[in-house]
Amino acid sequence: MDQLGTQTINQLPSGAALIKRELCYTICFIFILISSIIALNLGSSSRSLPLFRFDHFFPRKLPPPFPHIHPLRACDYSYGKWVRVDKKNPVLLYDEDCPFLDPGFRCHRNGRKDMEFQKWRWQPHGCYLPRFNASDFLERSRNGRIVFAGDSMGRNQWESLLCMLAQAVSNKSTIFEVNGSPITKHKGFLSMKFQDYNLTVEYYRTPFLAVLGRRPITTPPQVKLIVKVDQLHWRSKQWKGANVVVLNTGHWWNKEKIAKMYGFFSPHLSFSLHALRFLVCIWLHNWVGLVSFRGCYFQEGGTINMTMDVMEGFRRFIKTLVSWTTKNLNPEISHVFIRNHSPIHYMNGTWDNGGVCAAATEPEQDYRKLRPESWNNQYIANAIKEINNSKVRLLNITYLTGFRKDGHPSKYREPGTPVGAPQDCSHWCLPGIPDTWNEILYAQLLSMEFRTK
């Protein structure tokens, strides 16, 4: 009996062994518990499991403090919807006191009372549009040049960007026109300098972007005017070396061109007689279909094509434009954007036949009511795709702008406009829709990791 008891006692673990085993069990349990909590914590939102947060010991990878500066992934900002915002989430990045605005774009000062059109923001499908950061944009553009070239819609966008950037500059006197020229829409070239950043933001008024000229002496007498589809406007040499280049054309080439003619018949607007003749020429090409009517023809390679219509002329010119950007703009320096068509919204007639848009006070809600996309948009998109150059991009604003029938100056035009003058349903009030174009421009530049060298 004593021998059995002694054997049993010897088989029992000692006190030290018991403590060691219990400690091992405890450590294993704590390890499993912590591992489970960490796994749950990492797989949940920051608001989950508030009593079991281990951020101090196992810091989570947080987004940058300014997420709008570095978009998380590529996004097609072109398609989405307009969302009404409240006072807690203001949309406006500046106001009509901005000194760089054309009087014709200051719709509130010109008598428009309903300003609901300024209370909408663009929400792309499946991603977010980064908030515009003027300070960041200016810093990224330091010692650089931003160029806009094209028609008066480009002027709309240029003025919008000036005002957006100026919000980050406390002393507005450090922003000035380099040649001392007044800010007027009648100027063909303007360059605004942001002195603190050694940055210029330039505008070149070249509605066709192409070369217009008289007929060569050796051509048939019916040829009165030519447009050279294989040559860019002579000012294009001044765009070389720019860090950001935004080009637009097409309004003067499409079937809605008649809606722009009133600007060129203004007695206050100086413009080449040849350009005016070409304006009439293109209108007749589109509406009458006669290539040779009034002696307007397209020239390519030194040869005048007596049968080329305006669509083919535009297609060939856009290929010339895109090719020029790849041959003349250094991709290490220049980021190029070709902006497509900005829709007009004349209702119940054309610009000179009772067309209006003053009654529109909110965006169109039904995409099925948008006008068909213009044919020149497809030519622009195809030409950009063909070159496959990541530094030449389409700034696609047609779809989002098509909804905004409420954003035009309409009857609230600049002081001095004659009573009964046509409504302006092609340009845009500022602040307004072009601000969104520039927000998308900024977002695209962020995705390209833009910064001057």
Side-chain angles (χ1 to χ4, degrees):
M1 186 70 179
D2 291 343
Q3 185 179 1
L4 180 61
T6 302
Q7 184 178 1
T8 303
I9 292 172
N10 291 336
Q11 291 175 347
L12 294 175
S14 64
L18 284 172
I19 294 173
K20 184 176 181 180
R21 184 175 65 184
E22 293 299 325
L23 181 60
C24 181
Y25 289 161
T26 302
I27 292 174
C28 289
F29 173 75
I30 293 174
F31 176 79
I32 293 171
L33 179 62
I34 292 176
S35 299
S36 300
I37 292 175
I38 291 175
L40 289 172
N41 185 54
L42 292 177
S44 62
S45 69
S46 60
R47 292 185 177 88
S48 302
L49 301 173
L51 298 178
F52 299 98
R53 296 303 306 275
F54 290 83
D55 290 17
H56 296 291
F57 304 101
F58 305 97
R60 295 163 59 99
K61 186 176 181 180
L62 296 175
F66 300 100
H68 56 275
I69 295 182
H70 300 288
L72 299 179
R73 59 187 176 87
C75 175
D76 183 358
Y77 302 108
S78 309
Y79 297 97
K81 61 181 179 179
W82 288 97
V83 180
R84 183 182 286 276
V85 296
D86 53 32
K87 294 182 180 179
K88 296 180 180 179
N89 299 285
V91 177
L92 297 184
L93 300 172
Y94 59 95
D95 57 34
E96 288 189 5
D97 290 331
C98 175
F100 314 118
L101 291 183
D102 187 279
F105 303 150
R106 290 185 166 108
C107 299
H108 182 62
R109 289 191 182 181
N110 294 337
R112 180 167 180 169
K113 303 301 181 184
D114 171 48
M115 304 302 288
E116 290 299 306
F117 74 96
Q118 294 181 339
K119 299 179 180 180
W120 298 81
R121 65 174 177 85
W122 179 247
Q123 175 58 59
H125 291 317
C127 54
Y128 72 97
L129 180 60
R131 179 71 173 172
F132 187 87
N133 186 319
S135 297
D136 177 65
F137 200 161
L138 286 168
E139 193 59 51
R140 289 173 180 271
S141 306
R142 183 179 290 275
N143 301 317
R145 294 173 59 210
I146 300 174
V147 164
F148 289 84
D151 56 31
S152 54
M153 303 304 156
R155 168 74 182 237
N156 238 171
Q157 187 178 5
W158 173 73
E159 292 187 12
S160 163
L161 184 63
L162 287 176
C163 293
M164 293 168 75
L165 293 176
Q167 293 304 103
V169 180
S170 56
N171 184 0
K172 299 297 189 290
S173 66
T174 61
I175 307 172
F176 53 87
E177 209 286 321
V178 294
N179 297 310
S181 299
I183 305 301
T184 166
K185 68 180 180 182
H186 309 316
K187 286 288 182 181
F189 165 68
L190 291 166
S191 178
M192 300 299 298
K193 179 124 183 181
F194 287 73
Q195 188 175 40
D196 294 344
Y197 296 87
N198 192 31
L199 165 70
T200 57
V201 185
E202 307 162 23
Y203 169 70
Y204 297 82
R205 188 173 183 275
T206 54
F208 307 108
L209 293 180
V211 172
L212 308 178
R214 298 179 180 180
R215 69 177 185 89
I217 298 176
T218 57
T219 56
Q222 66 265 33
V223 178
K224 305 298 183 185
L225 182 70
I226 58 173
V227 54
K228 300 180 180 180
V229 297
D230 58 349
Q231 294 184 32
L232 261 67
H233 192 279
W234 64 270
R235 282 197 179 274
S236 61
K237 63 179 181 292
Q238 297 173 271
W239 311 338
K240 297 179 181 181
N243 303 95
V244 179
V245 180
V246 182
L247 306 170
N248 86 284
T249 188
H251 280 277
W252 301 100
W253 297 75
N254 63 46
K255 294 182 179 180
E256 293 174 335
K257 186 178 185 348
I258 190 173
K260 307 297 185 295
M261 289 182 67
Y262 70 85
F264 283 84
F265 286 107
S266 169
H268 305 292
L269 183 60
S270 60
F271 192 73
S272 167
L273 177 61
H274 299 297
L276 180 59
R277 286 176 178 171
F278 183 68
L279 168 66
V280 177
C281 166
I282 293 296
W283 174 76
L284 290 167
H285 275 317
N286 282 312
W287 289 91
V288 183
L290 297 178
V291 178
S292 60
F293 201 94
R294 293 290 180 91
C296 304
Y297 292 89
F298 296 102
Q299 177 177 308
E300 185 176 33
T303 302
I304 296 178
N305 191 318
M306 306 296 286
T307 60
M308 186 184 298
D309 64 14
V310 67
M311 292 178 67
E312 180 60 17
F314 182 78
R315 186 188 71 82
R316 296 193 187 193
F317 173 71
I318 287 299
K319 290 176 71 77
T320 298
L321 175 63
V322 173
S323 176
W324 180 90
T325 64
T326 60
K327 293 177 181 178
N328 292 275
L329 300 178
N330 185 347
E332 296 299 319
I333 298 175
S334 301
H335 299 67
V336 185
F337 298 86
I338 301 179
R339 181 176 59 72
N340 58 9
H341 185 65
S342 169
I344 62 176
H345 294 95
Y346 286 98
M347 295 173 280
N348 301 322
T350 58
W351 76 273
D352 63 341
N353 190 28
V356 296
C357 57
T361 58
E362 65 178 25
E364 176 60 61
Q365 301 298 320
D366 187 354
Y367 72 91
R368 292 170 296 184
K369 293 183 179 180
L370 300 185
R371 296 185 179 186
E373 188 168 18
S374 61
W375 52 264
N376 52 25
N377 270 8
Q378 193 59 55
Y379 289 155
I380 294 172
N382 289 343
I384 293 175
K385 288 179 183 178
E386 287 177 8
I387 63 168
N388 192 27
N389 186 330
S390 62
K391 290 298 180 70
V392 180
R393 293 193 178 187
L394 173 67
L395 187 58
N396 187 357
I397 55 86
T398 299
Y399 180 76
L400 69 92
T401 308
F403 289 95
R404 299 312 306 271
K405 59 185 180 180
D406 56 328
H408 297 288
S410 62
K411 63 182 180 180
Y412 304 104
R413 299 180 59 184
E414 63 186 283
T417 300
V419 177
Q423 293 194 13
D424 183 353
C425 302
S426 53
H427 297 95
W428 302 95
C429 299
L430 292 177
I433 315 307
D435 303 339
T436 300
W437 303 353
N438 286 322
E439 288 181 303
I440 294 176
L441 172 66
Y442 173 64
Q444 293 248 37
L445 288 169
L446 290 180
S447 71
M448 301 165 81
E449 300 182 348
F450 163 72
R451 188 178 296 274
T452 54
K453 296 182 180 180

